[in-house]
Amino acid sequence: MNEGLYAKIMAAVPILRPLTRPELDEIVAISRLLKVGREATVIREGEIGNSMYIIVSGRVRVLKEVRAGEQKTLATLGAGEVFGEMALIDRYPRSASVVTLTNTVLYQLDLDRFNSLRDAWRPAAFKVLRQLAPVLCRRIRSMDRMTGEMLAARPEKDTPEVRRELMDRLKGGEA
Amino acid sequence: MKTGAMALMRSLRLFESFTDAELEMLGIVFRVREFPAGTRMCREGFPGAGLYIIVSGTVDLVREPVPGQVRRVASQGPGTLLGQISIIDGSRRNASADAVNDVVALEMDRADFERLFEAQSLFAYKLLDLILRDLSFRLRKANEALEEIDPGTIRSVEAMMSAIESVNRVLNTTSEMKTLIR
C-alpha cells in the first residue's frame, strides 16, 4: 500500500485509525484487490454480508430503499473510505446498497479471513472490533427501544389499520 | 489482592489460560460483589457502573417504562455477563437488575477495561470477544424473529404483540457462555 492511500485511510476511516502501519498491512495482506466497472452493485441491501470493503480508488454511492422501488442516496464515498464493516462481526443483512459511480478499485476483506486474525488474538483484529462494537450496541439498543415502546403502548383496538401501522413501524425501524 | 476474587477467578474457565502472576494483575480490576436476595444490582436509566460476571445466583432484568408498569424482560444465571453494552459504549442501563436469590458476581469498571484494552491485554481481548459473540448472536436472532413477523400469518393485534415481545426478549437474553464458567 502506498503512503498516499495509507494517509487517506487514516484520515477518513475511524474504525482503522487505531491501527499502526504494520497492523493495517496485516489487514490488507488478507484482503483481495477487486476491480469493478462503473454502475456495478457491490453490495445489495437486505442480502447477507460476508465482506468489508476499503476503497483504493474511485467513487461509490450508498443507497437505501425508502419506499418500495424508491432509493435514496445516503452518501458518496471515495478513496480511503470503507463500507460493509459490520460484516467483520457477523453475517447480517446489509443495511444499504453500494453502487459504483466510476471505475473502482477495492480491497475486499472476508469475515472468514478476518476471523483467522481474531482467532489468533491479533491486536489488529481487536482494535477494529473495539471500534465496531458500539455500532452493534447502538443497533441492539434501537431495536430494543422500538419494541419496548410498542409493548408499552399496546393498542386497544384491533383493526387492519392498527395492524398495518404496527407492521410499518416494525419493518421501517429495523436496525 | 483479595483472596476471594482470586478463588472465584480460578473457578471460571475464562481465566484458565492465565498464569498466577497474570491473575494477580487481573485480580486488581475485579471486585467480588455479594447481593442478598431481593437487592437491586443496578438501576434502569442510571449510568452503568461496569460489567458483572455472575458466578452464582439468579438475576431478573426488569423495566418500568411507565411508573408502576413493571415488566420482566429476562432472567439470567451463573456463567452470564451483565452490563455488556454499558461497558462497550458507556451508555445508561437499559434495565434494572434484581437479585432473585443470593448472588455472587465479579465486577469490573469500564475504565479498567479500557486500560487493559489499551495495554493489549489478552484478557481484555477475550472479554471483548465474548461480549461481541453474545451481542451479535442476540442481534442475529432478533433479526430472524423480526423477519418471521408476517402480515399474512399474523391476524390479530394480540398475536402481533406477542411476536414483538419475543423479539424484545431475544434482544435482552444473554446466552450462557460455556467459555465463561466450568
Side-chain angles (χ1 to χ4, degrees):
Chain A
M1 173 183 297
N2 65 44
E3 289 306 319
L5 180 60
Y6 177 72
K8 272 184 190 158
I9 289 175
M10 285 299 134
V13 188
I15 66 157
L16 298 176
R17 204 169 290 147
L19 300 180
T20 62
R21 180 70 203 255
E23 285 164 354
L24 185 61
D25 288 342
E26 227 177 312
I27 298 281
V28 167
I30 56 165
S31 303
R32 241 180 324 178
L33 202 61
L34 198 68
K35 294 178 182 170
V36 284
R38 48 197 300 243
E39 295 299 319
T41 301
V42 184
I43 65 179
R44 200 180 298 274
E45 184 176 351
E47 283 185 2
I48 300 297
N50 282 312
S51 324
M52 176 185 91
Y53 298 85
I54 303 172
I55 305 172
V56 178
S57 66
R59 291 200 72 74
V60 304
R61 276 199 298 168
V62 182
L63 300 161
K64 191 160 179 70
E65 189 167 291
V66 281
R67 268 176 293 279
E70 189 187 328
Q71 292 191 312
K72 186 182 159 196
T73 300
L74 296 182
T76 65
L77 305 174
E81 294 185 283
V82 302
F83 57 88
E85 61 271 27
M86 288 307 282
L88 295 186
I89 292 189
D90 205 346
R91 294 181 165 81
Y92 299 118
R94 298 292 195 187
S95 58
S97 298
V98 173
V99 178
T100 56
L101 286 165
T102 63
N103 288 336
T104 301
V105 180
L106 303 159
Y107 279 121
Q108 179 184 31
L109 173 57
D110 290 345
L111 173 63
D112 290 341
R113 307 192 99 187
F114 181 76
N115 276 346
S116 64
L117 291 187
R118 181 171 172 175
D119 292 344
W121 306 107
R122 300 295 300 165
F126 282 87
K127 287 181 178 182
V128 171
L129 289 171
R130 179 72 189 90
Q131 299 296 309
L132 294 177
V135 184
L136 181 61
C137 291
R138 202 149 56 229
R139 289 191 185 187
I140 289 179
R141 272 191 284 117
S142 95
M143 206 191 276
D144 184 35
R145 192 178 318 117
M146 177 186 71
T147 49
E149 282 171 4
M150 291 174 83
L151 289 172
R154 184 180 283 264
E156 283 171 18
K157 275 189 261 171
D158 188 346
T159 64
E161 289 72 38
V162 170
R163 292 202 290 278
R164 194 167 328 114
E165 231 169 77
L166 288 174
M167 194 64 77
D168 285 351
R169 180 147 183 230
L170 213 50
K171 303 289 174 173
E174 217 164 312
Chain B
M1 72 174 281
K2 296 138 281 175
T3 48
M6 195 78 171
L8 281 181
M9 285 160 69
R10 280 197 205 288
S11 74
L12 296 173
R13 193 181 293 267
L14 173 64
F15 297 94
E16 75 184 358
S17 61
F18 295 92
T19 64
D20 280 1
E22 286 164 340
L23 281 188
E24 287 279 346
M25 299 255 300
L26 287 174
I28 297 168
V29 300
F30 277 103
R31 286 197 299 156
V32 180
R33 297 288 306 271
E34 293 179 32
F35 299 95
T39 47
R40 181 148 281 191
M41 301 169 65
C42 55
R43 201 172 289 276
E44 178 180 4
F46 280 67
L51 180 82
Y52 291 117
I53 302 174
I54 298 171
V55 181
S56 64
T58 306
V59 178
D60 271 354
L61 297 184
V62 296
R63 290 227 179 108
E64 202 173 339
V66 183
Q69 190 188 329
V70 179
R71 184 169 65 91
R72 188 175 72 163
V73 287
S75 197
Q76 55 182 88
T80 58
L81 301 172
L82 182 66
Q84 296 98 309
I85 293 180
S86 294
I87 206 168
I88 293 289
D89 68 5
S91 60
R92 287 161 189 277
R93 298 286 186 187
N94 54 12
S96 298
D98 292 334
V100 177
N101 39 38
D102 291 350
V103 168
V104 177
L106 287 167
E107 184 189 27
M108 179 189 218
D109 283 345
R110 182 161 191 258
D112 285 327
F113 172 70
E114 286 301 331
R115 261 194 293 278
L116 284 178
F117 193 88
E118 289 303 317
Q120 304 194 5
S121 141
L122 177 61
F123 176 77
Y125 289 179
K126 287 193 167 184
L127 201 54
L128 180 63
D129 187 67
L130 271 180
I131 292 172
L132 287 176
R133 275 193 282 142
D134 176 39
L135 296 181
S136 66
F137 179 79
R138 288 198 236 173
L139 185 59
R140 186 151 31 87
K141 288 288 161 199
N143 272 324
E144 286 167 13
L146 201 57
E147 277 306 303
E148 279 169 24
I149 301 181
D150 182 84
T153 54
I154 292 186
R155 303 196 172 277
S156 69
V157 164
E158 177 88 28
M160 190 174 269
M161 282 295 155
S162 87
I164 294 171
E165 189 156 10
S166 75
V167 173
N168 191 267
R169 192 173 325 109
V170 166
L171 279 175
N172 285 288
T173 303
T174 295
S175 36
E176 189 181 323
M177 292 288 181
K178 293 201 170 57
T179 41
L180 203 56
I181 205 159
R182 285 186 221 275

PDB file of all heavy atoms in Angstrom, chain A residues 125-141:
ATOM      1  N   ALA A 125      -6.959  -7.173  14.727  1.00  0.00           N
ATOM      2  CA  ALA A 125      -8.365  -7.554  14.675  1.00  0.00           C
ATOM      3  C   ALA A 125      -9.140  -6.923  15.827  1.00  0.00           C
ATOM      4  O   ALA A 125     -10.236  -6.384  15.635  1.00  0.00           O
ATOM      5  CB  ALA A 125      -8.498  -9.075  14.726  1.00  0.00           C
ATOM      6  N   PHE A 126      -8.563  -6.959  17.030  1.00  0.00           N
ATOM      7  CA  PHE A 126      -9.327  -6.478  18.190  1.00  0.00           C
ATOM      8  C   PHE A 126      -9.462  -4.967  18.219  1.00  0.00           C
ATOM      9  O   PHE A 126     -10.458  -4.435  18.702  1.00  0.00           O
ATOM     10  CB  PHE A 126      -8.755  -7.072  19.485  1.00  0.00           C
ATOM     11  CG  PHE A 126      -9.226  -8.488  19.629  1.00  0.00           C
ATOM     12  CD1 PHE A 126      -8.535  -9.529  19.044  1.00  0.00           C
ATOM     13  CD2 PHE A 126     -10.438  -8.759  20.248  1.00  0.00           C
ATOM     14  CE1 PHE A 126      -9.018 -10.826  19.101  1.00  0.00           C
ATOM     15  CE2 PHE A 126     -10.934 -10.051  20.318  1.00  0.00           C
ATOM     16  CZ  PHE A 126     -10.227 -11.088  19.746  1.00  0.00           C
ATOM     17  N   LYS A 127      -8.478  -4.262  17.671  1.00  0.00           N
ATOM     18  CA  LYS A 127      -8.621  -2.802  17.577  1.00  0.00           C
ATOM     19  C   LYS A 127      -9.784  -2.438  16.653  1.00  0.00           C
ATOM     20  O   LYS A 127     -10.535  -1.513  16.931  1.00  0.00           O
ATOM     21  CB  LYS A 127      -7.324  -2.172  17.077  1.00  0.00           C
ATOM     22  CG  LYS A 127      -6.227  -2.166  18.128  1.00  0.00           C
ATOM     23  CD  LYS A 127      -4.973  -1.506  17.566  1.00  0.00           C
ATOM     24  CE  LYS A 127      -3.878  -1.433  18.615  1.00  0.00           C
ATOM     25  NZ  LYS A 127      -2.690  -0.740  18.061  1.00  0.00           N
ATOM     26  N   VAL A 128      -9.936  -3.177  15.567  1.00  0.00           N
ATOM     27  CA  VAL A 128     -11.051  -2.923  14.646  1.00  0.00           C
ATOM     28  C   VAL A 128     -12.382  -3.304  15.326  1.00  0.00           C
ATOM     29  O   VAL A 128     -13.349  -2.552  15.289  1.00  0.00           O
ATOM     30  CB  VAL A 128     -10.873  -3.699  13.326  1.00  0.00           C
ATOM     31  CG1 VAL A 128     -12.126  -3.607  12.469  1.00  0.00           C
ATOM     32  CG2 VAL A 128      -9.674  -3.166  12.549  1.00  0.00           C
ATOM     33  N   LEU A 129     -12.399  -4.459  15.989  1.00  0.00           N
ATOM     34  CA  LEU A 129     -13.634  -4.903  16.658  1.00  0.00           C
ATOM     35  C   LEU A 129     -14.059  -3.927  17.747  1.00  0.00           C
ATOM     36  O   LEU A 129     -15.249  -3.665  17.930  1.00  0.00           O
ATOM     37  CB  LEU A 129     -13.429  -6.302  17.260  1.00  0.00           C
ATOM     38  CG  LEU A 129     -13.322  -7.452  16.256  1.00  0.00           C
ATOM     39  CD1 LEU A 129     -12.896  -8.742  16.956  1.00  0.00           C
ATOM     40  CD2 LEU A 129     -14.651  -7.662  15.520  1.00  0.00           C
ATOM     41  N   ARG A 130     -13.051  -3.363  18.451  1.00  0.00           N
ATOM     42  CA  ARG A 130     -13.382  -2.394  19.511  1.00  0.00           C
ATOM     43  C   ARG A 130     -14.106  -1.180  18.921  1.00  0.00           C
ATOM     44  O   ARG A 130     -14.970  -0.599  19.551  1.00  0.00           O
ATOM     45  CB  ARG A 130     -12.108  -1.953  20.230  1.00  0.00           C
ATOM     46  CG  ARG A 130     -12.315  -0.931  21.343  1.00  0.00           C
ATOM     47  CD  ARG A 130     -12.973  -1.573  22.538  1.00  0.00           C
ATOM     48  NE  ARG A 130     -13.401  -0.615  23.555  1.00  0.00           N
ATOM     49  CZ  ARG A 130     -14.604  -0.050  23.570  1.00  0.00           C
ATOM     50  NH1 ARG A 130     -15.482  -0.313  22.637  1.00  0.00           N
ATOM     51  NH2 ARG A 130     -14.948   0.779  24.540  1.00  0.00           N
ATOM     52  N   GLN A 131     -13.716  -0.802  17.691  1.00  0.00           N
ATOM     53  CA  GLN A 131     -14.357   0.341  17.025  1.00  0.00           C
ATOM     54  C   GLN A 131     -15.754  -0.015  16.519  1.00  0.00           C
ATOM     55  O   GLN A 131     -16.629   0.841  16.461  1.00  0.00           O
ATOM     56  CB  GLN A 131     -13.505   0.822  15.835  1.00  0.00           C
ATOM     57  CG  GLN A 131     -12.116   1.301  16.217  1.00  0.00           C
ATOM     58  CD  GLN A 131     -12.168   2.528  17.105  1.00  0.00           C
ATOM     59  OE1 GLN A 131     -12.841   3.500  16.789  1.00  0.00           O
ATOM     60  NE2 GLN A 131     -11.486   2.477  18.236  1.00  0.00           N
ATOM     61  N   LEU A 132     -15.946  -1.275  16.136  1.00  0.00           N
ATOM     62  CA  LEU A 132     -17.246  -1.680  15.589  1.00  0.00           C
ATOM     63  C   LEU A 132     -18.261  -1.998  16.691  1.00  0.00           C
ATOM     64  O   LEU A 132     -19.469  -1.905  16.465  1.00  0.00           O
ATOM     65  CB  LEU A 132     -17.089  -2.913  14.689  1.00  0.00           C
ATOM     66  CG  LEU A 132     -16.285  -2.725  13.411  1.00  0.00           C
ATOM     67  CD1 LEU A 132     -16.161  -4.055  12.676  1.00  0.00           C
ATOM     68  CD2 LEU A 132     -16.939  -1.679  12.508  1.00  0.00           C
ATOM     69  N   ALA A 133     -17.768  -2.352  17.862  1.00  0.00           N
ATOM     70  CA  ALA A 133     -18.662  -2.790  18.943  1.00  0.00           C
ATOM     71  C   ALA A 133     -19.762  -1.772  19.291  1.00  0.00           C
ATOM     72  O   ALA A 133     -20.917  -2.169  19.456  1.00  0.00           O
ATOM     73  CB  ALA A 133     -17.843  -3.155  20.188  1.00  0.00           C
ATOM     74  N   PRO A 134     -19.440  -0.458  19.382  1.00  0.00           N
ATOM     75  CA  PRO A 134     -20.515   0.493  19.703  1.00  0.00           C
ATOM     76  C   PRO A 134     -21.614   0.537  18.639  1.00  0.00           C
ATOM     77  O   PRO A 134     -22.773   0.812  18.961  1.00  0.00           O
ATOM     78  CB  PRO A 134     -19.790   1.845  19.785  1.00  0.00           C
ATOM     79  CG  PRO A 134     -18.377   1.503  20.082  1.00  0.00           C
ATOM     80  CD  PRO A 134     -18.122   0.206  19.370  1.00  0.00           C
ATOM     81  N   VAL A 135     -21.266   0.253  17.388  1.00  0.00           N
ATOM     82  CA  VAL A 135     -22.283   0.236  16.325  1.00  0.00           C
ATOM     83  C   VAL A 135     -23.266  -0.906  16.587  1.00  0.00           C
ATOM     84  O   VAL A 135     -24.486  -0.749  16.470  1.00  0.00           O
ATOM     85  CB  VAL A 135     -21.639   0.068  14.926  1.00  0.00           C
ATOM     86  CG1 VAL A 135     -22.701   0.150  13.841  1.00  0.00           C
ATOM     87  CG2 VAL A 135     -20.542   1.098  14.699  1.00  0.00           C
ATOM     88  N   LEU A 136     -22.714  -2.051  16.969  1.00  0.00           N
ATOM     89  CA  LEU A 136     -23.545  -3.204  17.305  1.00  0.00           C
ATOM     90  C   LEU A 136     -24.451  -2.877  18.499  1.00  0.00           C
ATOM     91  O   LEU A 136     -25.655  -3.169  18.482  1.00  0.00           O
ATOM     92  CB  LEU A 136     -22.622  -4.385  17.627  1.00  0.00           C
ATOM     93  CG  LEU A 136     -23.242  -5.724  17.977  1.00  0.00           C
ATOM     94  CD1 LEU A 136     -24.076  -6.245  16.832  1.00  0.00           C
ATOM     95  CD2 LEU A 136     -22.150  -6.731  18.336  1.00  0.00           C
ATOM     96  N   CYS A 137     -23.873  -2.238  19.520  1.00  0.00           N
ATOM     97  CA  CYS A 137     -24.659  -1.862  20.701  1.00  0.00           C
ATOM     98  C   CYS A 137     -25.791  -0.917  20.318  1.00  0.00           C
ATOM     99  O   CYS A 137     -26.911  -1.038  20.800  1.00  0.00           O
ATOM    100  CB  CYS A 137     -23.778  -1.162  21.738  1.00  0.00           C
ATOM    101  SG  CYS A 137     -22.587  -2.260  22.501  1.00  0.00           S
ATOM    102  N   ARG A 138     -25.485   0.039  19.430  1.00  0.00           N
ATOM    103  CA  ARG A 138     -26.486   1.022  19.014  1.00  0.00           C
ATOM    104  C   ARG A 138     -27.654   0.318  18.319  1.00  0.00           C
ATOM    105  O   ARG A 138     -28.808   0.631  18.552  1.00  0.00           O
ATOM    106  CB  ARG A 138     -25.818   2.039  18.082  1.00  0.00           C
ATOM    107  CG  ARG A 138     -26.527   3.367  17.993  1.00  0.00           C
ATOM    108  CD  ARG A 138     -25.548   4.496  17.734  1.00  0.00           C
ATOM    109  NE  ARG A 138     -24.733   4.282  16.545  1.00  0.00           N
ATOM    110  CZ  ARG A 138     -23.408   4.408  16.532  1.00  0.00           C
ATOM    111  NH1 ARG A 138     -22.742   4.743  17.606  1.00  0.00           N
ATOM    112  NH2 ARG A 138     -22.746   4.200  15.408  1.00  0.00           N
ATOM    113  N   ARG A 139     -27.339  -0.656  17.485  1.00  0.00           N
ATOM    114  CA  ARG A 139     -28.400  -1.369  16.771  1.00  0.00           C
ATOM    115  C   ARG A 139     -29.278  -2.146  17.743  1.00  0.00           C
ATOM    116  O   ARG A 139     -30.496  -2.177  17.603  1.00  0.00           O
ATOM    117  CB  ARG A 139     -27.803  -2.324  15.743  1.00  0.00           C
ATOM    118  CG  ARG A 139     -27.204  -1.566  14.587  1.00  0.00           C
ATOM    119  CD  ARG A 139     -26.858  -2.474  13.441  1.00  0.00           C
ATOM    120  NE  ARG A 139     -26.188  -1.706  12.402  1.00  0.00           N
ATOM    121  CZ  ARG A 139     -25.870  -2.178  11.225  1.00  0.00           C
ATOM    122  NH1 ARG A 139     -26.153  -3.428  10.927  1.00  0.00           N
ATOM    123  NH2 ARG A 139     -25.273  -1.432  10.333  1.00  0.00           N
ATOM    124  N   ILE A 140     -28.646  -2.791  18.722  1.00  0.00           N
ATOM    125  CA  ILE A 140     -29.425  -3.540  19.704  1.00  0.00           C
ATOM    126  C   ILE A 140     -30.289  -2.583  20.516  1.00  0.00           C
ATOM    127  O   ILE A 140     -31.476  -2.819  20.711  1.00  0.00           O
ATOM    128  CB  ILE A 140     -28.496  -4.359  20.631  1.00  0.00           C
ATOM    129  CG1 ILE A 140     -27.902  -5.510  19.825  1.00  0.00           C
ATOM    130  CG2 ILE A 140     -29.244  -4.873  21.853  1.00  0.00           C
ATOM    131  CD1 ILE A 140     -26.958  -6.389  20.585  1.00  0.00           C
ATOM    132  N   ARG A 141     -29.695  -1.470  20.958  1.00  0.00           N
ATOM    133  CA  ARG A 141     -30.462  -0.536  21.778  1.00  0.00           C
ATOM    134  C   ARG A 141     -31.627   0.059  20.998  1.00  0.00           C
ATOM    135  O   ARG A 141     -32.707   0.241  21.545  1.00  0.00           O
ATOM    136  CB  ARG A 141     -29.564   0.574  22.335  1.00  0.00           C
ATOM    137  CG  ARG A 141     -28.940   0.174  23.671  1.00  0.00           C
ATOM    138  CD  ARG A 141     -28.277   1.316  24.375  1.00  0.00           C
ATOM    139  NE  ARG A 141     -26.994   1.633  23.779  1.00  0.00           N
ATOM    140  CZ  ARG A 141     -26.696   2.779  23.205  1.00  0.00           C
ATOM    141  NH1 ARG A 141     -27.586   3.755  23.170  1.00  0.00           N
ATOM    142  NH2 ARG A 141     -25.513   2.966  22.678  1.00  0.00           N
TER     143      ARG A 141
END
